[in-house]
Amino acid sequence: MTARESTRSAPDSTRALGTREALRYPDPVRLAYHVMSAPPPLGLLFLARTERGLRYTEFMDRKSIRRMIQRHEADCPDAKWEASLLELKAVVDQFESYFCGTLTEFDLALDPVGTEFQQAVWNQLRQIPYARTRTYGQIAKAIGQPKAARAVGLANHDNPIAIIVPCHRVIGADGGLVGYGGGVPRKRWLLQHEARFGLMEDQLDLRPAMMGPAPRVAVVAKPAYVGKTAVAKPTPPAKRAPAAKPVPVAKRATVSKPAPSTRGATISVNAQAARRSTPSIKATAAARSTSASRASARGATRRGR
């Protein structure tokens, strides 16, 4: 190669080393954020995500959005924050299902920022089942550091993705509700919420085994003709028969006392009357016999003549 050719090729190589692609700084991180309301005492939730996944789920505690963003300037100094419900709609929908009791496990991509120890603790927290609890000592043993229970508590307190990374399911060795960044009232509410719906879910899982298959009920629909199209008319539910009124108990009839009999008195009166009339009967008979004797005497006199 001649000197002239080398001189010509030198600027090309220099230009290649000084291109913008070789010396370009990384693009600033873009975070989409949204604020949603949760049941009391949880209050407002501040949600933020990057292109990789959800990075923050925090309780606002009457803080403004500007103050919530300023808290993360140290972690993301050149971040570009943009409000976007569309990008966080999947997170909002799963939160609403969780608060209604129909969702027991979140299925979201996460992008938390923390040390290697914190990441290990947060990953272990996601292994705690719904409506169950673990102690700080159990989490420390699970990550292979049984003597780091206090450090586990600090990592649990600094969890940036509340509820989804269930740090509220970690309790003290004595069962106390300690070490929760959101406060004891929120931790108690979350545990009671999961216990209530977790118990209902267990009962629903056991009900088919206890009751067996549900009986089949045949429903006969009568077609109601509208023009030329037959529309099935559902059978109305049977009306409940009215309850029979109780029959009133008949009152006990009063027994009337029998009237005193007057038969004996009548007989005695008739006897007395008969006794009184006996002399008159005798006198009548004597008179009749006297008149008969007189008549016979008269007849004899007439014959003698």
Side-chain angles (χ1 to χ4, degrees), residues 28-269:
V29 178
R30 177 183 176 275
L31 287 100
Y33 68 89
H34 178 68
V35 176
M36 69 168 293
S37 60
L42 303 183
L44 298 178
L45 292 177
F46 178 78
L47 312 175
R49 63 159 298 158
T50 63
E51 295 179 355
R52 297 180 179 180
L54 187 65
R55 178 165 291 189
Y56 302 114
T57 299
E58 300 173 329
F59 302 107
M60 295 189 65
D61 289 327
R62 298 183 179 181
K63 298 183 182 70
S64 64
I65 297 178
R66 177 180 294 181
R67 289 185 59 186
M68 297 299 296
I69 294 175
Q70 289 176 352
R71 292 177 56 184
H72 304 294
E73 287 182 350
D75 299 334
C76 308
D78 298 329
K80 183 179 180 181
W81 296 81
E82 294 181 1
S84 176
L85 172 60
L86 182 61
E87 297 183 45
L88 289 161
K89 190 177 185 305
V91 182
V92 174
D93 292 342
Q94 292 195 28
F95 262 122
E96 291 179 350
S97 300
Y98 170 81
F99 293 136
C100 292
T102 58
L103 180 71
T104 58
E105 185 177 355
F106 291 90
D107 184 15
L108 298 169
L110 305 182
D111 185 27
V113 176
T115 63
E116 183 178 355
F117 179 81
Q118 289 176 333
Q119 295 284 357
V121 173
W122 297 338
N123 289 333
Q124 190 61 38
L125 295 180
R126 300 192 67 187
Q127 306 303 318
I128 304 176
Y130 182 85
R132 301 292 185 270
T133 57
R134 298 290 185 271
T135 63
Y136 296 99
Q138 290 174 335
I139 299 298
K141 292 179 181 179
I143 64 175
Q145 301 187 28
K147 296 183 179 180
R150 187 179 295 273
V152 168
L154 294 176
N156 194 72
H157 184 275
D158 295 336
N159 173 30
I161 307 177
I163 304 176
I164 298 177
V165 177
C167 55
H168 60 276
R169 298 175 188 168
V170 184
I171 59 177
D174 58 350
L177 305 182
V178 295
Y180 188 64
V184 174
R186 290 192 177 106
K187 185 171 186 176
R188 180 182 294 108
W189 187 91
L190 289 170
L191 291 176
Q192 292 176 351
H193 170 78
E194 293 183 358
R196 178 170 65 255
F197 288 101
L199 179 62
M200 293 175 59
E201 186 177 2
D202 294 341
Q203 291 176 350
L204 290 175
D205 292 341
L206 293 175
R207 188 176 299 175
M210 294 187 297
M211 301 180 60
R216 296 183 178 180
V217 180
V219 179
V220 179
K222 295 181 179 180
Y225 291 90
V226 181
K228 296 182 179 180
T229 306
V231 180
K233 200 171 185 179
T235 305
K239 295 183 179 180
R240 187 176 180 182
K245 295 183 179 180
V247 179
V249 180
K251 294 183 179 180
R252 186 175 181 181
T254 56
V255 180
S256 58
K257 295 181 180 180
S261 177
T262 58
R263 185 176 179 182
T266 306
I267 294 173
S268 60
V269 171

